[in-house]
Amino acid sequence: MKKISVLIASMSVLAACTTINPYTGQSQTSKAVWGTAIGAATGAATGALVSNNHGAGALVGGLAGAAVGGGVGYYMDTQEAELRAELASTGVSVIRDGDNIRLVMPGNITFKTDSADINAGFYSTLNSVAKVLNKYDNSTVMVMGFTDSTGADAHNQMLSQSRANAVAAYLQGQGVKSTRFEILAMGASNPIADNSTATGRQQNRRVEIKIIPNK
């Protein structure tokens, strides 16, 4: 019991650790810290269940869980930081969602209206994305194409598929392995803005890349 108490206390201190977000200036708990704490708690519980000596089992399980949880969190933390640095001032939004990273690429900078041809000015941005994806290659790359609600559903579905295919093909041309990709045509589904306004429709015409770590 004493060893379990020590482990729980250690995890409490760990979970209290904060960092300063270099992009917002706000204090936050690191994703790696949370991953370590959650991994440790899960590992401790598992270790206690499978060991005859519950205290030792929990301690060993907690340490193993901390290593695994912190590893995924740190891996995505560093990847997120590099993506933010590479994509600063490009118009691409970098959004962290748990262990996943989502890149939102507005249609006005990626494609011309009703076209799946990538704007030449966007190549350098995709080169930066490919650079980071190649460096951190232990992940699935989900590419999703979206349109606004203007036009027939069948046309929007086809256009969103073509745009997602174009982005995925470009990244593959920069060395990102094709086996890592999932490509989805979302059509006009999942709008992020009001389709009744020109500004909203522009935001809804987009391609998103979701980077999912392989655990």
Side-chain angles (χ1 to χ4, degrees):
M1 283 299 294
K2 183 176 180 181
K3 291 182 178 180
I4 297 175
S5 299
V6 171
L7 177 63
I8 292 172
S10 299
M11 291 303 101
S12 297
V13 172
L14 181 63
C17 293
T18 60
T19 59
I20 299 299
N21 187 314
Y23 312 103
T24 66
Q26 296 178 335
S27 177
Q28 67 179 30
T29 302
S30 164
K31 299 294 191 306
V33 170
W34 276 119
T36 303
I38 292 169
T42 303
T46 304
L49 286 174
V50 301
S51 174
N52 290 328
N53 184 340
H54 285 195
L59 183 60
V60 173
L63 292 174
V68 173
V72 173
Y74 180 76
Y75 186 79
M76 299 310 288
D77 280 349
T78 54
Q79 186 172 183
E80 177 190 4
E82 292 196 28
L83 283 168
R84 288 189 184 279
E86 291 283 345
L87 301 177
S89 304
T90 64
V92 175
S93 298
V94 181
I95 301 170
R96 184 66 177 266
D97 181 14
D99 281 337
N100 302 327
I101 300 172
R102 188 159 58 98
L103 308 180
V104 181
M105 304 176 171
N108 63 311
I109 62 174
T110 49
F111 301 97
K112 293 179 181 179
T113 302
D114 203 33
S115 171
D117 295 329
I118 298 172
N119 290 332
F122 198 63
Y123 292 160
S124 61
T125 300
L126 289 178
N127 290 343
S128 296
V129 173
K131 173 184 173 182
V132 178
L133 289 176
N134 282 326
K135 182 175 180 180
Y136 298 90
D137 61 357
N138 191 21
S139 64
T140 295
V141 182
M142 183 181 292
V143 183
M144 298 170 283
F146 298 83
T147 68
D148 61 34
S149 60
T150 304
D153 289 344
H155 175 75
N156 287 336
Q157 195 73 14
M158 181 177 65
L159 180 61
S160 67
Q161 181 74 64
S162 297
R163 287 179 168 178
N165 285 340
V167 169
Y170 186 89
L171 293 174
Q172 290 169 25
Q174 301 306 305
V176 185
K177 294 179 180 179
S178 61
T179 53
R180 296 176 61 188
F181 283 85
E182 291 183 15
I183 304 173
L184 301 176
M186 307 301 291
S189 66
N190 301 106
I192 57 175
D194 187 353
N195 271 308
S196 66
T197 68
T199 301
R201 289 192 296 273
Q202 185 181 73
Q203 293 180 56
N204 290 331
R205 296 190 295 268
R206 68 197 191 279
V207 170
E208 295 189 10
I209 296 176
K210 189 172 184 179
I211 305 169
I212 306 167
N214 299 328
K215 299 180 180 180

